[in-house]
Amino acid sequence: MFKGALFDLDGVIADTSVYHFQAWKKLIQDNFQQDLPSQLEEQTKGVSRADSLQRILDYLQIEVDTAKFQQLMQQKNEYYFQLLQTLTPDNILPGIKELLQELQQQKVKLALASASLNAPVILEKLQLSDYFAAIADLTAVKQGKPAPDIFLAAAGGINVTPQDCVAFEDSIAGIQAINQAQAFSVGIGSSVELAAADLLFAQTKELNMAQIETSYQQWKEGL
């Protein structure tokens, strides 16, 4: 049995990724009077705010100086924070609350590994703070996803080795980060996009503890 469970936040616990892209769209419209195409949303999932902004600016072929870049990041976070005020426990994705309860009953330690600097606020809005023994965020690591740093920090926060952890992600960058951290990766979403995951579920409501345990044991035996 694994000893730790590491969770991404956006798209795994709650679908706050849609708020991120709404904030990016408003930011670009307000500052540059341009529209962001929907295909850019996937490129901004799971990565840091700075990396997301750089990808958006590169796509739009816009160059800004360092001061403007910082101002845009701050403005985007203000838009996003306003949207977060509407969050309630009803925004928890299907099956997640039950999984957290089951993990807690099994004495599995839980940690959050999120690119969001607003993670503590989001957990509080969702009334899930008490489930997590540790929160690792980008302020505590050198590199964001797809580097393994944040998952290593999350595992360290609960004093469990990565090989004894199962980690849940919905982004390509996140799965790459988990695999590099040498934890067991559980992907949630498209099988094409997340093919590198050790175990894949199409949606959170399909998460199955028995299947996760069996697959993890087989994976651990193969190390």
Side-chain angles (χ1 to χ4, degrees), residues 69-102:
F69 191 90
Q70 294 296 324
Q71 179 253 313
L72 289 171
M73 285 204 300
Q74 178 61 34
Q75 189 177 356
K76 182 268 176 180
N77 195 52
E78 290 169 1
Y79 291 162
Y80 177 62
F81 195 78
Q82 291 169 9
L83 291 168
L84 288 183
Q85 303 315 305
T86 65
L87 275 181
T88 73
D90 290 337
N91 293 105
I92 300 171
L93 287 169
I96 290 297
K97 183 74 175 285
E98 293 78 8
L99 178 64
L100 295 177
Q101 291 172 338
E102 193 167 359

Side-chain angles (χ1 to χ4, degrees), residues 134-146:
I135 297 176
D137 65 44
L138 291 180
T139 63
V141 301
K142 290 184 178 179
Q143 298 183 81
K145 305 168 188 177

Side-chain angles (χ1 to χ4, degrees), residues 64-201:
V64 297
D65 60 25
T66 301
K68 180 65 174 178
F69 191 90
Q70 294 296 324
Q71 179 253 313
L72 289 171
M73 285 204 300
Q74 178 61 34
Q75 189 177 356
K76 182 268 176 180
N77 195 52
E78 290 169 1
Y79 291 162
Y80 177 62
F81 195 78
Q82 291 169 9
L83 291 168
L84 288 183
Q85 303 315 305
T86 65
L87 275 181
T88 73
D90 290 337
N91 293 105
I92 300 171
L93 287 169
I96 290 297
K97 183 74 175 285
E98 293 78 8
L99 178 64
L100 295 177
Q101 291 172 338
E102 193 167 359
L103 289 166
Q104 193 174 60
Q105 290 166 4
Q106 300 250 14
K107 308 298 183 185
V108 175
K109 296 179 180 179
L110 306 183
L112 198 70
S114 173
S116 175
L117 298 176
N118 297 294
V121 173
I122 295 171
L123 286 183
E124 185 178 342
K125 289 282 186 183
L126 299 174
Q127 297 179 16
L128 295 178
S129 301
D130 291 344
Y131 286 95
F132 291 89
I135 297 176
D137 65 44
L138 291 180
T139 63
V141 301
K142 290 184 178 179
Q143 298 183 81
K145 305 168 188 177
D149 302 32
I150 199 161
F151 285 101
L152 295 173
I158 53 174
N159 297 311
V160 178
T161 61
Q163 292 85 356
D164 289 323
C165 290
V166 166
F168 299 83
E169 260 287 357
D170 73 318
S171 72
I172 298 169
I175 293 298
Q176 291 172 343
I178 296 168
N179 291 343
Q180 287 193 64
Q182 298 185 328
F184 180 82
S185 56
V186 178
I188 300 166
S190 166
S191 58
V192 175
E193 295 170 350
L194 305 176
D198 295 309
L199 179 63
L200 190 65
F201 295 92

